[in-house]
Amino acid sequence: MDLGLNGKWAVVCGASKGLGYACAHALAQEGVNIVMAARSTDALEKSAERLRQEFGKEVITVSADVATAEGRASILAAAPHIDILITNAGGPPPGDFRSLQKSDWLSAIEANMLAPIELIKAVIDPMIERRFGRIINITSAAVKSPVDMLCLSNGARAGLTGFVAGVSRQVAEHNVTINNLLPGKFNTDRLLSNNQKRAETAGVTLEQEAARQASLIPARRFGTPPEFGHACAFLCSAYSGYITGQNLLIDGGAYQGLL
């Protein structure tokens, strides 16, 4: 299926690996030129070269921290124009709320709420002028079902979700959509580190904890990054203009609620 994206430009944050890379890969497969941004230069360059070799599209890399104004400016300046924006930043560390300081909360809010908002502010008016724009925020299933050890993520990402709910309705008439993708448990480094911490707390092996976590998911497995990437590509497509302000939960059925 042709998603109608050939030749467009996308900025993908956190694109060196994991779910960010999966989104960049799926978009490049659809003919999109990519600006890939991440803090890790070596991993970023290797990932970008794989896309260039596989799809022959223009891929620009920017090594920058999206949580800083300077980093965001360098990322945004790399593309001739931006049709698609994928915001994504590593989640804040797990921990008991009793041990968290104000600085921990401010860092989480800066990276996982304010940084995406600033990026959206920068791209939204040019998208409106061109009458095409697709903005996807990679948040977390914790927005729908908070995770006990991820209180920083629960709070900051929920704040971004509230912001998007209002703004997405203001720009929909211009064929500019804003949606959130909420990943559940996917085979990524983030899942590995969380399971390692849980295993240590429970006094079991990492393999035992991973098996326990997978058994709680109706699909009985963790998600794969390509599954996530192709869902992202569809929400960016020419056929998704009537989908906006939504929170698409991709979790193998783990969330038990109706809404």
Side-chain angles (χ1 to χ4, degrees):
M1 178 179 179
D2 181 359
L3 297 183
L5 295 175
N6 188 54
K8 293 194 180 297
W9 276 91
V11 166
V12 183
C13 300
S16 62
K17 58 184 179 179
L19 301 183
Y21 174 75
C23 293
H25 186 278
L27 288 170
Q29 187 173 341
E30 296 297 329
V32 178
N33 302 301
I34 311 287
V35 172
M36 300 177 68
R39 289 176 296 179
S40 174
T41 302
D42 290 345
L44 182 63
E45 292 297 337
K46 290 177 181 177
S47 295
E49 187 57 30
R50 286 199 296 271
L51 295 190
R52 296 185 190 108
Q53 293 293 329
E54 188 170 355
F55 302 113
K57 304 302 295 184
E58 188 167 358
V59 180
I60 299 170
T61 58
V62 180
S63 179
D65 184 353
V66 73
T68 68
E70 297 78 10
R72 290 190 294 272
S74 63
I75 293 167
L76 293 169
H81 65 272
I82 300 171
D83 303 297
I84 297 166
L85 170 66
I86 312 297
T87 77
N88 178 37
D96 189 294
F97 76 94
R98 299 173 184 82
S99 65
L100 299 173
Q101 305 301 312
K102 182 178 180 180
S103 58
D104 298 317
W105 282 103
L106 292 176
S107 294
I109 292 169
E110 183 67 49
N112 297 119
M113 178 181 172
L114 297 181
I117 290 173
E118 290 297 321
L119 289 170
I120 292 169
K121 284 170 58 180
V123 304
I124 200 78
D125 286 335
M127 287 179 173
I128 289 172
E129 291 173 8
R130 291 191 299 273
R131 294 199 59 80
F132 182 91
R134 299 289 185 264
I135 299 172
I136 305 293
N137 302 298
I138 300 176
T139 62
S140 170
V143 170
K144 294 279 285 185
S145 182
V147 180
D148 54 0
M149 61 189 287
L150 299 180
C151 53
L152 291 173
S153 181
N154 297 340
R157 297 190 193 279
L160 176 63
T161 304
F163 167 80
V164 167
V167 174
S168 61
R169 272 82 180 178
Q170 297 176 33
V171 302
E173 65 179 297
H174 305 290
N175 192 31
V176 176
T177 67
I178 313 176
N179 292 289
N180 305 311
L181 282 178
L182 284 56
K185 296 183 184 301
F186 279 79
N187 273 319
T188 63
D189 290 344
R190 173 74 167 175
L191 178 68
L192 178 63
S193 65
N194 285 347
N195 280 347
Q196 183 66 61
K197 186 174 181 65
R198 289 185 181 279
E200 292 170 359
T201 301
V204 299
T205 67
L206 176 60
E207 291 74 18
Q208 288 172 322
E209 177 60 23
R212 186 187 75 83
Q213 290 287 330
S215 72
L216 300 175
I217 302 169
R220 300 294 186 265
R221 65 177 179 86
F222 299 133
T224 66
E227 290 176 304
F228 188 90
H230 287 291
C232 178
F234 177 76
L235 282 181
C236 294
S237 75
Y239 307 107
S240 64
Y242 209 54
I243 304 172
T244 197
Q246 301 305 303
N247 295 286
L248 178 59
L249 186 62
I250 310 177
D251 69 346
Y255 176 64
Q256 299 292 328
L258 294 176
L259 302 174

